[in-house]
Amino acid sequence: MKKVISVPAEPADPLGDGPPLAPPAGGRYRSFSGSMAESVIVTGASGFVGTRLVETLAARGFEVIGVTRGLDASASAELVRSDLENADAVRELVERVRPRAIFHLASLVSGSRALSAVLPTFRANLASAVHVLAAAAEFGCERVVLA
């Protein structure tokens, strides 16, 4: 049985200072269809958005592999502890799972406004996003959603 999650084909106005971009010709949306055998990876699976996304995807029939820094309990996903700043670890995970999609929600968040905390946090978040994108491209992942 196929499951469908609809996502707009065009992004909303990224700056928020204009009308939303029009849908493609014919008002159609691309859809992300899945079957019971299709795997997806959710990074940041133990976060606020990640836990809800994992539950939703699992309920729609996807095999969900959640990536976390810790191993919080989840009945909806196989959890994998991984350091997304490690390119080899990300590459090995994506090669093993061969996901149809990756939802990259993970990020380091620093409560400090100190300049000394900003640059390391930025570097870590940029490195993890680059590693996810590179591994997805290398192993033919169909979709990557960055948040």
Side-chain angles (χ1 to χ4, degrees):
M1 174 179 217
K2 275 191 152 185
K3 305 292 181 179
V4 177
I5 301 171
S6 294
V7 295
E10 298 292 330
D13 176 29
L15 300 177
D17 59 358
L21 299 174
R28 302 247 183 236
Y29 290 88
R30 290 186 223 157
S31 63
F32 179 64
S33 303
S35 68
M36 294 296 279
E38 291 184 307
S39 298
V40 296
I41 293 175
V42 177
T43 68
S46 61
F48 181 77
V49 174
T51 55
R52 282 138 188 91
L53 180 60
V54 165
E55 291 169 5
T56 299
L57 291 169
R60 293 181 185 226
F62 292 93
E63 178 188 352
V64 182
I65 290 47
V67 180
T68 67
R69 280 185 287 231
L71 288 179
D72 301 327
S74 172
S76 303
E78 171 190 342
L79 291 180
V80 175
R81 185 176 178 166
S82 185
D83 177 7
L84 298 175
E85 291 180 67
N86 180 330
D88 291 334
V90 174
R91 187 178 179 282
E92 288 172 17
L93 175 66
V94 174
E95 181 179 25
R96 178 178 62 86
V97 175
R98 301 282 177 146
R100 169 109 187 262
I102 299 172
F103 297 85
H104 181 53
L105 309 177
S107 67
L108 292 178
V109 179
S110 173
S112 172
R113 291 187 176 181
L115 188 57
S116 61
V118 172
L119 192 54
T121 301
F122 175 77
R123 283 185 179 146
N125 291 336
L126 180 61
S128 66
V130 167
H131 297 155
V132 166
L133 290 169
E138 182 177 355
F139 296 106
C141 180
E142 197 172 300
R143 303 247 170 123
V144 178
V145 177
L146 301 174

